[in-house]
């Protein structure tokens, strides 16, 4: 960030990394050997845990209670932001809905849901604001329901009430959760279904006999299907994870294959004749796919021009006319470069571009690594918990889209109408979003970090290998697969990483309960051995 380079070609960089290994290896080993195995049993035996247990309503009502508590905790935020956050790509999707030209750049189901609520229901109720309010409430119920289901499943795994209560409070009062709940982006419903799918994968790991339970199989198939249709990369994420499942559950490969094959067939039907019937217009995703190559080539030409031949320079300019924008404080986003990408020229002779990209990669590998590292820094650097200064998008949005001279006459604008008595909360959210006010709160600020969530994900994967809990890698593969697809994206935004962020409590709760179970089994074996002796 300071020197605009990874310094990957410096010996000092690698010496610094190697010097850090013993310390962090010891910390992680202590976490695996001491903290995780004892954390659950320690909190279970704690008197506070007993008090909290008595306050809980019986299990069957637990889910409803938690669901209600989370929704109520988010209501003040919705009132302060009434009727919701009309941002991100919503204004484009509303244009699609109004004109009847549903471009498939965004999931068609989300475009119809958003358009139906704001435009159609809005007309019935008398205002677009009331229509957006309906959408906000629907999305809040879906996300909070996924959170409540998470806590419900934790109780089945005998995770202590103390730990469950801690995560309930995070779900309720961590401000980003409420902001995301009424933000008009498909990533939120995707995140909710992602979380439910992850929980079902854990159920499959711990109760493989569920493969014989038709209700579970049908539920799994439909959750997987709905998850895939709310994000364009969803099909790749799910397929990757299920292929990993085939290797892990070799003895049950037929059922795993069924759970993979049926959702894919449903998706194929949905994305084919159903999408066509709904007036879906194909979108050329080639520009999106070129996000990483275009920044690598652009950086190479901007910073290493003297090392390139005239032919190489000419070819880069032909493919990326706006390559120079890389040096105009746009190093953290590929939009200007990828949008100018000459897809026609690429399609005429793909091998020519691939040859150019590969050839310059061998010639200037550090430029390629630096370009990739700078574009994806928020997905691996733990302290990147704020808006990228070299990308014009905010980390997450709060201000709703307003009228502008560049707007088309068909664009639908929904006005923010914050009640006077809630202005203070609206100002708090705005300050949190655009001034990153959480930065002055040590430790708490790390909860907002995309990069930290990714490292926690890999610590969990490390735990699976360290404890030889290879079956627990099955659900983790879903999270890792999503991260891999994000590395190929045009910019780092919190909404992209949000499904991973809300998966972390699930992964570690199950690791805690599994470690506790393993420790208890070891204690029983030791006691049994002593008794026999």
């Amino acid at each position: 960030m300071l020197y605009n380079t990874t310094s990957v070609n410096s010996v000092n960089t690698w010496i610094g990394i190697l010097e850090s290994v013993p310390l962090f290896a010891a910390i992680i080993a202590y976490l695996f050997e001491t903290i995780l195995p004892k954390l659950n049993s320690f909190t279970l035996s704690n008197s506070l845990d007993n008090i909290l247990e008595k306050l809980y309503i019986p299990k069957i009502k637990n889910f409803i209670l938690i669901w209600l508590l989370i929704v109520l905790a988010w209501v003040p935020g919705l009132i302060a932001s009434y009727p919701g956050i009309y941002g991100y790509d919503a204004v484009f999707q509303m244009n699609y809905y109004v004109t009847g030209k549903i471009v498939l750049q965004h999931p068609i189901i989300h475009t119809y849901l958003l358009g139906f609520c704001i435009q159609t229901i809005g007309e019935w109720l008398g205002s677009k604001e009331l229509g957006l309010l309906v959408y906000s409430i629907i999305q809040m119920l879906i996300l909070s329901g996924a959170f409540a289901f998470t806590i419900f499943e934790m109780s089945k795994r005998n995770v202590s009430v103390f730990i469950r209560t801690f995560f309930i409070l995070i779900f309720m009062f961590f401000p980003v959760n409420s902001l995301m709940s009424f933000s008009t982006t498909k990533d939120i419903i995707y995140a909710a279904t992602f979380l439910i799918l992850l929980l079902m994968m854990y159920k499959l790991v711990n109760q493989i006999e569920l493969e014989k339970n038709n209700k579970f199989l049908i539920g799994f198939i439909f959750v997987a299907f709905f998850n895939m249709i709310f994000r364009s990369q969803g099909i790749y994420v799910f397929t990757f994870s299920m292929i990993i499942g085939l290797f892990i559950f070799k003895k049950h490969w037929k059922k795993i294959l069924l759970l993979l094959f049926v959702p894919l067939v449903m998706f194929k039907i949905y994305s084919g004749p159903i999408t066509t019937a709904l007036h879906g217009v194909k979108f050329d995703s080639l520009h999106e796919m070129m996000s990483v190559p275009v920044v690598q080539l652009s950086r190479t030409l901007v910073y290493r021009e003297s090392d390139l031949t005239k032919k190489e320079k000419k070819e880069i300019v032909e493919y990326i006319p706006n390559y120079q924008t890389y040096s105009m404080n746009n190093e953290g986003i590929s939009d200007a470069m990828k949008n100018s990408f000459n897809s026609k020229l690429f399609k005429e002779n793909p091998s020519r571009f691939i040859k150019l990209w590969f050839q310059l990669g061998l010639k200037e590998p550090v430029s390629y690594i630096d370009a990739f590292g700078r574009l994806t820094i928020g997905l691996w650097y733990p302290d990147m918990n704020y808006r990228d200064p070299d990308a014009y998008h905010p980390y997450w949005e709060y201000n709703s889209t307003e009228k502008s001279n560049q707007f088309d006459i068909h664009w639908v604008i929904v006005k923010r109408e914050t009640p006077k008595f809630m202005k203070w909360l609206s100002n708090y959210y705005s300050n949190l979003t655009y001034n990153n006010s959480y930065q002055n709160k040590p430790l708490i600020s790390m909860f907002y970090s995309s990069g930290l969530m990714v490292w926690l994900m890999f610590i969990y994967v490390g735990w699976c290998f360290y404890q030889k809990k290879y079956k627990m890698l099955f659900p983790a593969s879903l999270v890792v697969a999503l991260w891999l697809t994000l590395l190929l994206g045009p910019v780092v935004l919190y909404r992209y990483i949000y499904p991973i962020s809300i998966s972390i409590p699930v992964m570690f709760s199950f690791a805690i309960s599994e470690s506790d179970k393993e420790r208890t089994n070891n204690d029983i074996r030791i006691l049994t051995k002593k008794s026999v002796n």
Side-chain angles (χ1 to χ4, degrees):
M1 292 292 286
L2 292 175
Y3 300 102
N4 196 25
T5 177
T6 58
S7 298
V8 71
N9 56 337
S10 169
V11 174
N12 289 336
T13 299
W14 295 100
I15 291 175
I17 291 172
L18 290 173
E19 286 176 341
S20 303
V21 168
L23 171 64
F24 285 99
I27 291 172
I28 293 171
Y30 186 73
L31 173 70
F32 291 168
E33 285 289 339
T34 306
I35 297 178
L36 287 180
K38 295 181 180 180
L39 184 60
N40 198 49
S41 57
F42 172 76
T43 52
L44 274 170
S45 61
N46 195 298
S47 59
L48 177 59
D49 201 72
N50 295 328
I51 294 170
L52 291 171
E53 185 71 62
K54 291 176 182 178
L55 293 175
Y56 270 63
I57 295 174
K59 282 187 177 180
I60 192 65
K61 296 181 181 178
N62 228 1
F63 174 80
I64 303 298
L65 172 67
I66 296 166
W67 194 357
L68 181 62
L69 286 174
I70 296 172
V71 171
L72 289 176
W74 293 348
V75 166
L78 178 60
I79 295 172
S81 314
Y82 178 83
I85 300 173
Y86 184 66
Y88 299 103
D89 298 310
V91 71
F92 297 101
Q93 291 175 267
M94 285 305 302
N95 186 36
Y96 299 159
Y97 185 83
V98 171
T99 59
K101 184 181 179 182
I102 315 295
V103 180
L104 298 178
Q105 181 179 3
H106 306 289
I108 192 169
I109 186 172
H110 185 258
T111 299
Y112 267 104
L113 174 62
L114 190 66
F116 180 76
C117 289
I118 295 177
Q119 190 70 19
T120 307
I121 295 181
E123 287 180 359
W124 296 345
L125 298 177
S127 76
K128 292 185 288 290
E129 286 70 33
L130 287 174
L132 177 56
L133 178 64
V134 170
Y135 173 86
S136 297
I137 292 172
I138 291 172
Q139 188 168 271
M140 286 173 69
L141 290 172
I142 293 172
L143 183 61
S144 57
F147 287 161
F149 183 58
T150 299
I151 302 300
F152 189 62
E153 286 299 314
M154 285 182 186
S155 68
K156 289 184 177 180
R157 290 281 295 176
N158 201 33
V159 175
S160 75
V161 183
F162 180 83
I163 294 174
R164 278 182 275 155
T165 302
F166 172 76
F167 285 125
I168 290 172
L169 294 175
I170 292 291
F171 292 150
M172 290 171 65
F173 298 114
F174 184 52
V176 178
N177 287 329
S178 60
L179 288 172
M180 292 288 111
S181 74
F182 46 78
S183 294
T184 52
T185 172
K186 74 269 186 182
D187 300 289
I188 308 310
I189 298 179
Y190 175 79
T193 55
F194 186 90
L195 189 59
I196 295 171
L197 183 60
L198 184 71
L199 287 163
M200 296 187 83
M201 285 181 166
Y202 273 111
K203 286 175 76 74
L204 199 59
V205 166
N206 291 288
Q207 296 172 272
I208 194 62
E209 65 271 12
L210 282 172
E211 63 157 358
K212 300 175 184 177
N213 186 322
N214 290 332
K215 286 183 179 179
F216 175 82
L217 296 178
I218 293 171
F220 186 96
I221 287 168
F222 275 95
V223 170
F225 170 70
F226 277 103
N227 176 253
M228 287 190 289
I229 65 178
F230 271 97
R231 184 179 276 189
S232 55
Q233 308 102 312
I235 186 172
Y236 307 112
V237 173
F238 175 71
T239 302
F240 175 87
S241 183
M242 295 305 291
I243 290 173
I244 297 296
L246 285 172
F247 285 100
I248 292 175
F249 299 104
K250 293 178 182 178
K251 294 180 181 179
H252 308 272
W253 67 270
K254 290 182 180 179
K255 287 292 183 182
I256 299 298
L257 194 61
L258 176 72
L259 293 176
L260 169 62
F261 181 72
V262 176
L264 290 181
V265 171
M266 292 170 66
F267 182 84
K268 186 67 176 177
I269 296 171
Y270 163 83
S271 60
I274 293 178
T275 298
T276 302
L278 293 172
H279 310 292
V281 178
K282 287 186 178 180
F283 171 72
D284 186 358
S285 60
L286 180 61
H287 291 84
E288 297 290 325
M289 294 167 60
M290 289 296 158
S291 292
V292 171
V294 296
V295 296
Q296 290 175 325
L297 289 170
S298 296
R299 184 184 178 98
T300 302
L301 181 52
V302 168
Y303 291 111
R304 308 296 297 179
E305 183 178 3
S306 60
D307 295 340
L308 305 184
T309 65
K310 288 184 178 180
K311 181 184 177 184
E312 289 169 342
K313 294 176 191 176
K314 181 174 178 293
E315 288 185 353
I316 292 175
V317 175
E318 286 177 353
Y319 283 111
I320 317 165
N322 285 350
Y323 78 91
Q324 72 280 3
T325 57
Y326 187 82
S327 60
M328 298 177 183
N329 296 323
N330 280 324
E331 296 178 356
I333 184 169
S334 71
D335 280 7
M337 289 153 279
K338 72 176 176 63
N339 290 339
S340 73
F341 182 71
N342 192 336
S343 56
K344 182 180 178 182
L345 183 62
F346 174 88
K347 290 175 181 177
E348 287 175 357
N349 189 359
S351 60
R352 179 172 176 256
F353 175 82
I354 295 171
K355 181 181 178 182
L356 172 68
W357 177 76
F358 189 74
Q359 178 182 308
L360 291 182
L362 293 176
K363 190 174 184 179
E364 299 290 343
V366 176
S367 288
Y368 272 37
I369 293 170
D370 286 348
F372 178 73
R374 185 61 193 83
L375 181 66
T376 62
I377 188 168
L379 297 174
W380 52 266
Y381 178 51
D383 200 33
M384 193 72 175
N385 55 3
Y386 51 89
R387 172 182 175 270
D388 191 325
D390 288 338
Y392 46 79
H393 289 295
Y395 196 31
W396 59 78
E397 290 191 12
Y398 182 65
N399 293 338
S400 292
T401 303
E402 297 176 350
K403 283 188 178 293
S404 170
N405 293 331
Q406 70 181 35
F407 282 8
D408 187 275
I409 57 172
H410 294 296
W411 283 27
V412 176
I413 301 299
V414 182
K415 295 179 181 179
R416 169 75 56 77
E417 299 176 357
T418 302
K420 288 184 179 180
F421 71 95
M422 294 299 281
K423 284 284 186 184
W424 65 273
L425 186 54
S426 180
N427 292 336
Y428 168 78
Y429 283 145
S430 183
N431 192 35
L432 187 82
T433 301
Y434 300 105
N435 298 324
N436 306 131
S437 58
Y438 51 84
Q439 282 285 350
N440 61 7
K441 298 177 178 63
L443 189 61
I444 291 176
S445 63
M446 298 307 292
F447 278 84
Y448 298 85
S449 170
S450 297
L452 179 64
M453 298 303 148
V454 170
W455 279 103
L456 290 175
M457 173 189 76
F458 278 110
I459 287 174
Y460 171 85
V461 171
W463 172 85
C464 291
F465 281 105
Y466 188 80
Q467 298 291 352
K468 297 181 180 179
K469 302 286 185 182
Y470 302 121
K471 289 183 179 180
M472 301 285 274
L473 287 168
F474 174 50
S477 66
L478 188 74
V479 187
V480 173
L482 176 58
W483 177 73
L484 291 174
T485 64
L486 296 181
L487 290 174
L488 303 177
V491 67
V492 175
L493 298 178
Y494 191 84
R495 65 185 175 107
Y496 296 156
I497 202 81
Y498 190 60
I500 296 177
S501 297
I502 63 177
S503 297
I504 297 302
V506 174
M507 297 170 76
F508 274 89
S509 293
F510 280 71
I512 288 167
S513 64
E514 188 70 20
S515 295
D516 183 40
K517 184 173 71 175
E518 187 67 25
R519 187 185 68 83
T520 303
N521 290 339
N522 286 336
D523 290 345
I524 292 171
R525 282 193 290 268
I526 291 170
L527 289 171
T528 303
K529 188 175 181 181
K530 285 182 178 179
S531 298
V532 171
N533 291 336

PDB file of all heavy atoms in Angstrom, residues 151-165:
ATOM      1  N   ILE A 151     -28.050 -20.541  14.890  1.00  0.00           N
ATOM      2  CA  ILE A 151     -28.021 -20.712  16.346  1.00  0.00           C
ATOM      3  C   ILE A 151     -28.750 -21.994  16.747  1.00  0.00           C
ATOM      4  O   ILE A 151     -28.316 -22.721  17.652  1.00  0.00           O
ATOM      5  CB  ILE A 151     -28.668 -19.490  17.040  1.00  0.00           C
ATOM      6  CG1 ILE A 151     -27.939 -18.197  16.650  1.00  0.00           C
ATOM      7  CG2 ILE A 151     -28.669 -19.674  18.550  1.00  0.00           C
ATOM      8  CD1 ILE A 151     -26.478 -18.158  17.017  1.00  0.00           C
ATOM      9  N   PHE A 152     -29.848 -22.292  16.069  1.00  0.00           N
ATOM     10  CA  PHE A 152     -30.624 -23.508  16.344  1.00  0.00           C
ATOM     11  C   PHE A 152     -29.778 -24.758  16.113  1.00  0.00           C
ATOM     12  O   PHE A 152     -29.801 -25.706  16.904  1.00  0.00           O
ATOM     13  CB  PHE A 152     -31.860 -23.515  15.455  1.00  0.00           C
ATOM     14  CG  PHE A 152     -32.847 -24.602  15.783  1.00  0.00           C
ATOM     15  CD1 PHE A 152     -33.464 -24.653  17.017  1.00  0.00           C
ATOM     16  CD2 PHE A 152     -33.155 -25.576  14.842  1.00  0.00           C
ATOM     17  CE1 PHE A 152     -34.382 -25.657  17.318  1.00  0.00           C
ATOM     18  CE2 PHE A 152     -34.066 -26.576  15.131  1.00  0.00           C
ATOM     19  CZ  PHE A 152     -34.679 -26.614  16.380  1.00  0.00           C
ATOM     20  N   GLU A 153     -28.998 -24.750  15.017  1.00  0.00           N
ATOM     21  CA  GLU A 153     -28.129 -25.890  14.710  1.00  0.00           C
ATOM     22  C   GLU A 153     -26.978 -25.981  15.706  1.00  0.00           C
ATOM     23  O   GLU A 153     -26.521 -27.078  16.040  1.00  0.00           O
ATOM     24  CB  GLU A 153     -27.586 -25.770  13.279  1.00  0.00           C
ATOM     25  CG  GLU A 153     -28.615 -26.071  12.206  1.00  0.00           C
ATOM     26  CD  GLU A 153     -29.147 -27.489  12.305  1.00  0.00           C
ATOM     27  OE1 GLU A 153     -28.344 -28.428  12.474  1.00  0.00           O
ATOM     28  OE2 GLU A 153     -30.374 -27.678  12.221  1.00  0.00           O
ATOM     29  N   MET A 154     -26.501 -24.818  16.189  1.00  0.00           N
ATOM     30  CA  MET A 154     -25.447 -24.829  17.205  1.00  0.00           C
ATOM     31  C   MET A 154     -25.926 -25.522  18.479  1.00  0.00           C
ATOM     32  O   MET A 154     -25.174 -26.256  19.123  1.00  0.00           O
ATOM     33  CB  MET A 154     -25.019 -23.399  17.541  1.00  0.00           C
ATOM     34  CG  MET A 154     -24.154 -22.726  16.511  1.00  0.00           C
ATOM     35  SD  MET A 154     -23.684 -21.060  17.054  1.00  0.00           S
ATOM     36  CE  MET A 154     -22.837 -20.453  15.588  1.00  0.00           C
ATOM     37  N   SER A 155     -27.191 -25.289  18.829  1.00  0.00           N
ATOM     38  CA  SER A 155     -27.743 -25.915  20.037  1.00  0.00           C
ATOM     39  C   SER A 155     -27.796 -27.428  19.882  1.00  0.00           C
ATOM     40  O   SER A 155     -27.573 -28.171  20.839  1.00  0.00           O
ATOM     41  CB  SER A 155     -29.138 -25.360  20.339  1.00  0.00           C
ATOM     42  OG  SER A 155     -30.073 -25.757  19.351  1.00  0.00           O
ATOM     43  N   LYS A 156     -28.073 -27.904  18.658  1.00  0.00           N
ATOM     44  CA  LYS A 156     -28.100 -29.348  18.411  1.00  0.00           C
ATOM     45  C   LYS A 156     -26.708 -29.967  18.536  1.00  0.00           C
ATOM     46  O   LYS A 156     -26.568 -31.145  18.858  1.00  0.00           O
ATOM     47  CB  LYS A 156     -28.666 -29.634  17.016  1.00  0.00           C
ATOM     48  CG  LYS A 156     -30.159 -29.377  16.886  1.00  0.00           C
ATOM     49  CD  LYS A 156     -30.639 -29.774  15.494  1.00  0.00           C
ATOM     50  CE  LYS A 156     -32.139 -29.607  15.349  1.00  0.00           C
ATOM     51  NZ  LYS A 156     -32.608 -29.995  14.002  1.00  0.00           N
ATOM     52  N   ARG A 157     -25.691 -29.145  18.268  1.00  0.00           N
ATOM     53  CA  ARG A 157     -24.308 -29.616  18.364  1.00  0.00           C
ATOM     54  C   ARG A 157     -23.750 -29.442  19.775  1.00  0.00           C
ATOM     55  O   ARG A 157     -22.569 -29.653  20.018  1.00  0.00           O
ATOM     56  CB  ARG A 157     -23.431 -28.836  17.376  1.00  0.00           C
ATOM     57  CG  ARG A 157     -23.684 -29.162  15.921  1.00  0.00           C
ATOM     58  CD  ARG A 157     -23.019 -30.441  15.518  1.00  0.00           C
ATOM     59  NE  ARG A 157     -21.568 -30.334  15.589  1.00  0.00           N
ATOM     60  CZ  ARG A 157     -20.732 -31.336  15.371  1.00  0.00           C
ATOM     61  NH1 ARG A 157     -21.214 -32.524  15.090  1.00  0.00           N
ATOM     62  NH2 ARG A 157     -19.434 -31.167  15.449  1.00  0.00           N
ATOM     63  N   ASN A 158     -24.632 -29.025  20.694  1.00  0.00           N
ATOM     64  CA  ASN A 158     -24.247 -28.836  22.095  1.00  0.00           C
ATOM     65  C   ASN A 158     -23.193 -27.752  22.283  1.00  0.00           C
ATOM     66  O   ASN A 158     -22.348 -27.829  23.177  1.00  0.00           O
ATOM     67  CB  ASN A 158     -23.742 -30.152  22.716  1.00  0.00           C
ATOM     68  CG  ASN A 158     -23.819 -30.123  24.240  1.00  0.00           C
ATOM     69  OD1 ASN A 158     -24.713 -29.499  24.807  1.00  0.00           O
ATOM     70  ND2 ASN A 158     -22.874 -30.771  24.893  1.00  0.00           N
ATOM     71  N   VAL A 159     -23.235 -26.734  21.409  1.00  0.00           N
ATOM     72  CA  VAL A 159     -22.391 -25.555  21.614  1.00  0.00           C
ATOM     73  C   VAL A 159     -22.950 -24.812  22.819  1.00  0.00           C
ATOM     74  O   VAL A 159     -24.166 -24.649  22.951  1.00  0.00           O
ATOM     75  CB  VAL A 159     -22.391 -24.651  20.361  1.00  0.00           C
ATOM     76  CG1 VAL A 159     -21.622 -23.366  20.619  1.00  0.00           C
ATOM     77  CG2 VAL A 159     -21.811 -25.397  19.163  1.00  0.00           C
ATOM     78  N   SER A 160     -22.086 -24.362  23.708  1.00  0.00           N
ATOM     79  CA  SER A 160     -22.543 -23.763  24.965  1.00  0.00           C
ATOM     80  C   SER A 160     -23.446 -22.562  24.730  1.00  0.00           C
ATOM     81  O   SER A 160     -23.330 -21.863  23.718  1.00  0.00           O
ATOM     82  CB  SER A 160     -21.346 -23.337  25.813  1.00  0.00           C
ATOM     83  OG  SER A 160     -20.747 -22.170  25.299  1.00  0.00           O
ATOM     84  N   VAL A 161     -24.335 -22.309  25.683  1.00  0.00           N
ATOM     85  CA  VAL A 161     -25.265 -21.190  25.577  1.00  0.00           C
ATOM     86  C   VAL A 161     -24.500 -19.870  25.546  1.00  0.00           C
ATOM     87  O   VAL A 161     -24.897 -18.920  24.872  1.00  0.00           O
ATOM     88  CB  VAL A 161     -26.265 -21.190  26.761  1.00  0.00           C
ATOM     89  CG1 VAL A 161     -27.289 -20.076  26.609  1.00  0.00           C
ATOM     90  CG2 VAL A 161     -26.979 -22.523  26.844  1.00  0.00           C
ATOM     91  N   PHE A 162     -23.387 -19.823  26.275  1.00  0.00           N
ATOM     92  CA  PHE A 162     -22.571 -18.613  26.306  1.00  0.00           C
ATOM     93  C   PHE A 162     -22.067 -18.261  24.901  1.00  0.00           C
ATOM     94  O   PHE A 162     -22.171 -17.106  24.463  1.00  0.00           O
ATOM     95  CB  PHE A 162     -21.384 -18.800  27.258  1.00  0.00           C
ATOM     96  CG  PHE A 162     -20.489 -17.606  27.359  1.00  0.00           C
ATOM     97  CD1 PHE A 162     -20.795 -16.549  28.207  1.00  0.00           C
ATOM     98  CD2 PHE A 162     -19.342 -17.524  26.582  1.00  0.00           C
ATOM     99  CE1 PHE A 162     -19.979 -15.436  28.286  1.00  0.00           C
ATOM    100  CE2 PHE A 162     -18.510 -16.411  26.657  1.00  0.00           C
ATOM    101  CZ  PHE A 162     -18.831 -15.373  27.511  1.00  0.00           C
ATOM    102  N   ILE A 163     -21.526 -19.257  24.199  1.00  0.00           N
ATOM    103  CA  ILE A 163     -21.011 -19.022  22.843  1.00  0.00           C
ATOM    104  C   ILE A 163     -22.151 -18.678  21.891  1.00  0.00           C
ATOM    105  O   ILE A 163     -22.039 -17.772  21.067  1.00  0.00           O
ATOM    106  CB  ILE A 163     -20.232 -20.257  22.341  1.00  0.00           C
ATOM    107  CG1 ILE A 163     -18.962 -20.449  23.184  1.00  0.00           C
ATOM    108  CG2 ILE A 163     -19.870 -20.111  20.861  1.00  0.00           C
ATOM    109  CD1 ILE A 163     -18.200 -21.723  22.877  1.00  0.00           C
ATOM    110  N   ARG A 164     -23.275 -19.403  22.026  1.00  0.00           N
ATOM    111  CA  ARG A 164     -24.435 -19.104  21.181  1.00  0.00           C
ATOM    112  C   ARG A 164     -24.936 -17.682  21.417  1.00  0.00           C
ATOM    113  O   ARG A 164     -25.265 -16.961  20.476  1.00  0.00           O
ATOM    114  CB  ARG A 164     -25.561 -20.094  21.454  1.00  0.00           C
ATOM    115  CG  ARG A 164     -25.424 -21.422  20.716  1.00  0.00           C
ATOM    116  CD  ARG A 164     -26.604 -22.318  21.016  1.00  0.00           C
ATOM    117  NE  ARG A 164     -26.420 -23.075  22.239  1.00  0.00           N
ATOM    118  CZ  ARG A 164     -27.412 -23.537  22.979  1.00  0.00           C
ATOM    119  NH1 ARG A 164     -28.665 -23.280  22.653  1.00  0.00           N
ATOM    120  NH2 ARG A 164     -27.166 -24.247  24.056  1.00  0.00           N
ATOM    121  N   THR A 165     -24.986 -17.274  22.662  1.00  0.00           N
ATOM    122  CA  THR A 165     -25.454 -15.928  23.000  1.00  0.00           C
ATOM    123  C   THR A 165     -24.523 -14.871  22.432  1.00  0.00           C
ATOM    124  O   THR A 165     -24.976 -13.834  21.931  1.00  0.00           O
ATOM    125  CB  THR A 165     -25.557 -15.764  24.535  1.00  0.00           C
ATOM    126  OG1 THR A 165     -26.438 -16.760  25.043  1.00  0.00           O
ATOM    127  CG2 THR A 165     -26.098 -14.389  24.884  1.00  0.00           C
TER     128      THR A 165
END
